[in-house]
Amino acid sequence: VWALAFTLLMVDTNLADPKSFGESDYIMTFYVAGYLMASGQAESLYPSPNDSSFTHSRFDEAAHRLVPALPEQSTAIFAYTPLVAWIFAPLSKVSPNISLLFWQIISMLGLLLSAAFLSRASNARASDILFLSSLFLPVITTLWSGQVSLVFGLLPLSAGYFFFKKDRPFLAGLIWSLLCLKPQFVFVPALVIFALILAPYTDRNPSNKPEDRKFAISLMTIFLMFWAVLVIIGSFFRGP
């Protein structure tokens, strides 16, 4: 029900008020990068050696040409590998807002798959994981603005963790290597592996009841709160 309601809301917003998404991460960054890659202008993804700033760089000028709703004072920057631009090339064949809608749907599918992987790697139900995710503001923000964190970050993390728990470390490492598409997430697998190494020495209680695992729950709560604070700061207070 939540997924259907959110999908209908995204469809209505994208079609009723296309200009409202002009400054979204997806349209001003990934849509433009995909278009440049698809049209054979890959050299325009990054500033030329003579550019002194990102403002009025080749990518910034291309973004203002392709997205008329982009305010003049906004500066478009592409800080990812050319492979990411190549991935978005097929989505640049349609208008910016329709492309954003397609990516929002893909991101929702990525969230569903992440919940399924985490459910199979733990005792939690996928529906519970998905519901709790919908209550987490950064997840909604990521879906709404078309950021890539769910598909390039959360999905590889969840799939890699599932295969790591199933004693298939090579496949887990192969999937975690996809995090190079979103380098900000690379430290998380290292943290997970380190925590799993320490787990037998820090928490010897075999019980699955929450009241018997106070240390583990407290440690995980601290980690989640620390992660949530960093996500909120990075999303809303990072400056221009």
Side-chain angles (χ1 to χ4, degrees):
V1 175
W2 171 86
L4 178 61
F6 192 78
T7 301
L8 293 175
L9 179 62
M10 290 189 298
V11 171
D12 178 69
T13 307
N14 274 287
L15 299 181
D17 189 15
K19 294 183 178 180
S20 62
F21 288 97
E23 283 190 279
S24 67
D25 285 353
Y26 179 83
I27 290 181
M28 70 181 296
T29 301
F30 302 106
Y31 177 81
V32 175
Y35 177 87
L36 293 175
M37 181 63 73
S39 59
Q41 304 178 62
E43 70 280 355
S44 297
L45 291 173
Y46 309 103
S48 67
N50 296 325
D51 290 334
S52 57
S53 71
F54 290 106
T55 305
H56 300 303
S57 65
R58 295 175 294 185
F59 187 85
D60 183 45
E61 292 180 351
H64 283 84
R65 274 197 319 271
L66 291 170
V67 188
L70 186 63
E72 185 178 350
Q73 67 272 18
S74 296
T75 301
I77 302 172
F78 184 70
Y80 295 82
T81 66
L83 178 60
V84 174
W86 178 81
I87 291 173
F88 285 99
L91 292 174
S92 68
K93 302 297 184 180
V94 295
S95 65
N97 285 81
I98 298 300
S99 180
L100 171 61
L101 181 60
F102 285 156
W103 181 251
Q104 288 171 329
I105 294 173
I106 292 172
S107 296
M108 290 185 64
L109 293 176
L111 181 60
L112 288 170
L113 287 174
S114 298
F117 278 121
L118 291 175
S119 174
R120 296 186 64 183
S122 63
N123 294 325
R125 294 187 300 177
S127 57
D128 292 340
I129 296 174
L130 190 62
F131 175 72
L132 291 174
S133 299
S134 68
L135 302 179
F136 193 44
L137 180 60
V139 171
I140 303 301
T141 304
T142 297
L143 283 171
W144 190 261
S145 61
Q147 297 177 12
V148 299
S149 300
L150 294 178
V151 177
F152 292 168
L154 182 62
L155 182 55
L157 281 173
S158 304
Y161 179 71
F162 167 74
F163 287 108
F164 187 83
K165 290 281 286 185
K166 296 297 181 181
D167 293 325
R168 302 181 69 178
F170 177 77
L171 187 56
L174 192 63
I175 294 173
W176 277 338
S177 67
L178 296 176
L179 292 171
C180 67
L181 299 175
K182 184 72 173 175
Q184 296 92 326
F185 283 85
V186 171
F187 82 98
V188 180
L191 184 62
V192 170
I193 293 173
F194 184 69
L196 289 174
I197 292 173
L198 294 180
Y201 306 99
T202 57
D203 186 14
R204 298 175 181 272
N205 195 330
S207 174
N208 290 325
K209 297 181 179 180
E211 59 268 22
D212 296 333
R213 305 295 295 275
K214 296 180 180 179
F215 175 78
I217 292 175
S218 300
L219 190 63
M220 192 61 186
T221 302
I222 292 172
F223 167 71
L224 288 176
M225 292 302 297
F226 181 70
W227 177 59
V229 170
L230 289 180
V231 169
I232 293 172
I233 291 174
S235 298
F236 301 103
F237 305 103
R238 61 185 176 183

